[in-house]
C-alpha cells in the first residue's frame, strides 16, 4: 500500500466535495490534469453572482430556509472581497473555481454552505458562469472596437481628399483617397461588432437549473434565476444547457474573423511604413529600433497584431475539435473550453488597443502617396471611360485603344497626361484636347462620385454617416 501510494503519488485524503465513495485521494498527476483553477479563477465574479441568484431562489421557493439563504449571500459577499483584495487562497486540490468558493463558504458560514448546491450541479454552474463571462467579454469588445472605429473615422476625415494609389493584385489600379481606404476598415469592424451583437442575443439564455443534465426534482424557479442574472429566459432543454458550447465557438469565430481584419490592416501598416513605400510612419510610441541598424524604425506592434491572428484562428479550431465528437451531455473535455476563450479575449483587447494607438498617432506622407497615385498609368480607366462617354465607343473598344496608348506612353517613358495630343491621335484620331481634363489624379478621384465611391465629397459624407451609424 505504501509502495503503491509512492508510485502513483496518491494523496491520502479523498475529496471533501465528491469523495464520499472514495477511500483514497487522487494521484498527484490526476489532480494536476484535472484541476482548472489555474485558469477558471477568472470566473469568480460570475460564479459568485450565479450562486447568489441560486441561493435567493432556493430561499424564495422554500427549498432552503431564509436564514440559510442570507448566510450564504453574506458569505459569498465576503469571498468576493477576499478575492478582490488578493487574500483568497486558491487551492489546486479543490480543482476548480466552483469548489474553491464552496469550500471557503463552508469555512466561513459552516453547515449552511452545504445547502447551496441543492438542485444544482457544477455542470449547469460552469455553463452559467461561462456564458456570463463571455457576455461581459462581448460588451468590452464592442466598446474597444468602437474606440478603434472612432480613431479610424477621425483620420479618414482628416484625409478625405488625400490621394493614394489603390491596388488590386498589389499593382497600382486606380487612385483612391486615404480616407476612403481607412473607412473600408470601419465597415469591416462594424460587421465584427454586428457579429458580437448577434452572438450576445443567442448566448443570453440561462442554463442554471438544468442541474447535472436532466433537471431536478426540487421545485426550483428557473425564470427567477434567469432574470436575476440578466438572461432573457431559461434554456429550454437541460441536456442542451449543460452540453453545448456554441456560444464560445461563436465568440471564437467572430474573434478569428476580427483577427483577420486587424491583421490585414496591420499588414498594410507594415507595407506603408517600409522604405520603398514610405507612406506612413508610426509614432515613436508605436515604433521600435534595431540593436544593430541605427536607421531602423520598425512597426513591431503591427507585425505582432498580424501574427496574433494565428493564435485567434488556432483557438477557434482548438475548441471546434474539442467539441466535435462529444456525446451529450457534459464531458470533462469541455473544461478545455475556457483557455482559448480567455486567451482570445485578452489577445483582442491588446491588439485593438495597439491598433487604436497606431492609427491615432500615425503620420502620413501625403505628397509621397499622391506621387505614387499617378504612377503605373493609374488613370487609364478614366481615359477609357472618357472615350465611352465623349466618343460613344463601346467600353471594350475604348479599353483596347487605351491599352495601345499605355503601350505608347511606356515606349516614350512618360505618363498618360504627358503624351501629346498628336501622340494620342496617332492611336485614335477622334481624341480631343478635353481628354486632358480626366487624366490627373485629382480628376480621377473627383469623378468617382458613385455611392460608396472614393470622391473626396463622398468620403466626407461617408465619414458623417459612419459617425452616426457606429459612434452615435
Ligand atoms: N471545472 C469543470 C469545467 O470547467 C466544472 C464542471 C465539472 N463537472 C463535473 N461533472 N466534473 O468543466
Amino acid at each position: 500500500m505504501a509502495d503503491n501510494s509512492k508510485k502513483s503519488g496518491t494523496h491520502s485524503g479523498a475529496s471533501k466535495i465528491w469523495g464520499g465513495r472514495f477511500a483514497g485521494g487522487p494521484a498527484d498527476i490526476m489532480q494536476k490534469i484535472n484541476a482548472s483553477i489555474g485558469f477558471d479563477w477568472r470566473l469568480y465574479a460570475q460564479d459568485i453572482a450565479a450562486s447568489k441568484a441560486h441561493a435567493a431562489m432556493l430561499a424564495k421557493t422554500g427549498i432552503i430556509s431564509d436564514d440559510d439563504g442570507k448566510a450564504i449571500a453574506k458569505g459569498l459577499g465576503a469571498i468576493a472581497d477576499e478575492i478582490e483584495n488578493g487574500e483568497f487562497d486558491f487551492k489546486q486540490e479543490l480543482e476548480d473555481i466552483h469548489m474553491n468558493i464552496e469550500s471557503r463558504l463552508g469555512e466561513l458560514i459552516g453547515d449552511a454552505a452545504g445547502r447551496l448546491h441543492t438542485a444544482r450541479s457544477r455542470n449547469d454552474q460552469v455553463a452559467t458562469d461561462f456564458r456570463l463571462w463571455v457576455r461581459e467579454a462581448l460588451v468590452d469588445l464592442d466598446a474597444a472596437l468602437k474606440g478603434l472605429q472612432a480613431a479610424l473615422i477621425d483620420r479618414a476625415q482628416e484625409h478625405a481628399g488625400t490621394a493614394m494609389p489603390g491596388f488590386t493584385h498589389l499593382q497600382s489600379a486606380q487612385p483612391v483617397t486615404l480616407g476612403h481606404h481607412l473607412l473600408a476598415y470601419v465597415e469591416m469592424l462594424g460587421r465584427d461588432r454586428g457579429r458580437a451583437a448577434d452572438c450576445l442575443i443567442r448566448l443570453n439564455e440561462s442554463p442554471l437549473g438544468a442541474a447535472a443534465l436532466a433537471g431536478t426534482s426540487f421545485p426550483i424557479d428557473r425564470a427567477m434565476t434567469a432574470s436575476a442574472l440578466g438572461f432573457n429566459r431559461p434554456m429550454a432543454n437541460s441536456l442542451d444547457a449543460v452540453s453545448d458550447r456554441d456560444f464560445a465557438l461563436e465568440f471564437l469565430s467572430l474573434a478569428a474573423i476580427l483577427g483577420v481584419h486587424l491583421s490585414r490592416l496591420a499588414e498594410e501598416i507594415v507595407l506603408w511604413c517600409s522604405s520603398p513605400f514610405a507612406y506612413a510612419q508610426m509614432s515613436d510610441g508605436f515604433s521600435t529600433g534595431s540593436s544593430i541598424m541605427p536607421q531602423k524604425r520598425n512597426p513591431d506592434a503591427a507585425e505582432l497584431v498580424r501574427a496574433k491572428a494565428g493564435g485567434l484562428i488556432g483557438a477557434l479550431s482548438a475548441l471546434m475539435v474539442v467539441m466535435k465528437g462529444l456525446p451529450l451531455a457534459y464531458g470533462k473535455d469541455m473544461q478545455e473550453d475556457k483557455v482559448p476563450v480567455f486567451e482570445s479575449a485578452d489577445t483582442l483587447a491588446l491588439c485593438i488597443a495597439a491598433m487604436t494607438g497606431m492609427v491615432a498617432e500615425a503620420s502620413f506622407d501625403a505628397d509621397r502617396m499622391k506621387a505614387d497615385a499617378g504612377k503605373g498609368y493609374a488613370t487609364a480607366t478614366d481615359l477609357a471611360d472618357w472615350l465611352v462617354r465623349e466618343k460613344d465607343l463601346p467600353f471594350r473598344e475604348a479599353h483596347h485603344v487605351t491599352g495601345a496608348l499605355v503601350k505608347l506612353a511606356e515606349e516614350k517613358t512618360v505618363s498618360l497626361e504627358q503624351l501629346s495630343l498628336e501622340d494620342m491621335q496617332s492611336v485614335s484620331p477622334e481624341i480631343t484636347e478635353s481628354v486632358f481634363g480626366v487624366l490627373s489624379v485629382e480628376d480621377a478621384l473627383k469623378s468617382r462620385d458613385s455611392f460608396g465611391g472614393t470622391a473626396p465629397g463622398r468620403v466626407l459624407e461617408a465619414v458623417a454617416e459612419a459617425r452616426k451609424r457606429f459612434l452615435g
Side-chain angles (χ1 to χ4, degrees), residues 85-274:
N85 298 331
E87 291 157 3
F88 190 91
D89 184 16
F90 292 105
K91 296 194 181 101
Q92 198 197 55
E93 60 270 27
L94 291 170
E95 273 184 49
D96 57 24
I97 187 63
H98 324 295
M99 298 208 292
N100 267 270
I101 289 177
E102 192 183 323
S103 163
R104 179 68 184 137
L105 189 64
E107 287 168 12
L108 289 177
I109 68 166
D111 286 349
R115 299 192 183 277
L116 171 60
H117 214 53
T118 315
R120 183 178 83 168
S121 150
R122 273 188 295 157
N123 296 348
D124 59 339
Q125 196 178 351
V126 72
T128 304
D129 295 359
F130 200 27
R131 277 176 190 260
L132 291 172
W133 196 94
V134 174
R135 190 173 75 184
E136 276 178 43
L138 287 167
V139 171
D140 292 347
L141 180 65
D142 186 70
L145 285 176
K146 188 175 176 183
L148 175 52
Q149 284 182 309
L152 286 163
I153 292 171
D154 285 347
R155 301 313 304 266
Q157 179 163 3
E158 191 185 321
H159 291 286
T162 303
M164 70 178 286
F167 300 99
T168 61
H169 313 265
L170 200 57
Q171 309 289 322
S172 292
Q174 292 170 356
V176 295
T177 69
L178 176 58
H180 193 53
H181 195 119
L182 296 176
L183 286 182
Y185 285 100
V186 171
E187 293 297 322
M188 296 179 223
L189 299 175
R191 288 191 296 277
D192 291 322
R193 289 178 67 191
R195 272 181 280 275
D198 290 345
C199 175
L200 211 144
I201 291 168
R202 275 183 296 279
L203 166 154
N204 206 26
E205 295 186 349
S206 174
L208 197 57
L213 74 165
T216 174
S217 56
F218 291 96
I220 57 170
D221 182 348
R222 291 192 60 203
M224 179 181 165
T225 47
S227 107
L229 293 169
F231 288 117
N232 294 332
R233 62 190 75 82
M235 291 181 75
N237 182 294
S238 64
L239 289 165
D240 174 47
V242 295
S243 69
D244 206 358
R245 293 293 183 269
D246 57 354
F247 64 96
L249 290 171
E250 282 195 37
F251 176 79
L252 292 173
S253 307
L254 71 91
I257 296 172
L258 168 56
V260 169
H261 288 157
L262 293 174
S263 179
R264 294 185 74 176
L265 177 54
E267 163 61 9
E268 301 210 286
I269 289 175
V270 172
L271 273 179
W272 295 345
C273 288
S274 72

Side-chain angles (χ1 to χ4, degrees), residues 75-88:
L76 288 169
I79 292 172
D81 290 343
E82 286 180 6
I83 297 176
E84 299 285 350
N85 298 331
E87 291 157 3
F88 190 91

Side-chain angles (χ1 to χ4, degrees), residues 36 40 96 98 122-123 126 330 332 335 338:
S36 53
D40 70 11
D96 57 24
H98 324 295
R122 273 188 295 157
N123 296 348
V126 72
Y330 177 84
K332 193 67 175 238
Q335 180 162 284
K338 288 163 211 71

Side-chain angles (χ1 to χ4, degrees), residues 256-326:
I257 296 172
L258 168 56
V260 169
H261 288 157
L262 293 174
S263 179
R264 294 185 74 176
L265 177 54
E267 163 61 9
E268 301 210 286
I269 289 175
V270 172
L271 273 179
W272 295 345
C273 288
S274 72
S275 41
F277 275 81
Y279 293 173
Q281 199 175 67
M282 294 299 104
S283 65
D284 285 0
F286 285 97
S287 301
T288 57
S290 155
S291 55
I292 177 169
M293 296 164 283
Q295 85 283 11
K296 286 296 267 304
R297 170 188 277 278
N298 295 328
D300 287 33
E303 294 166 76
L304 288 164
V305 169
R306 187 175 60 184
K308 284 176 190 292
L312 294 167
I313 296 163
L316 169 62
S317 104
L319 188 57
M320 286 280 196
V321 177
V322 166
M323 296 304 298
K324 66 170 263 311
L326 296 185

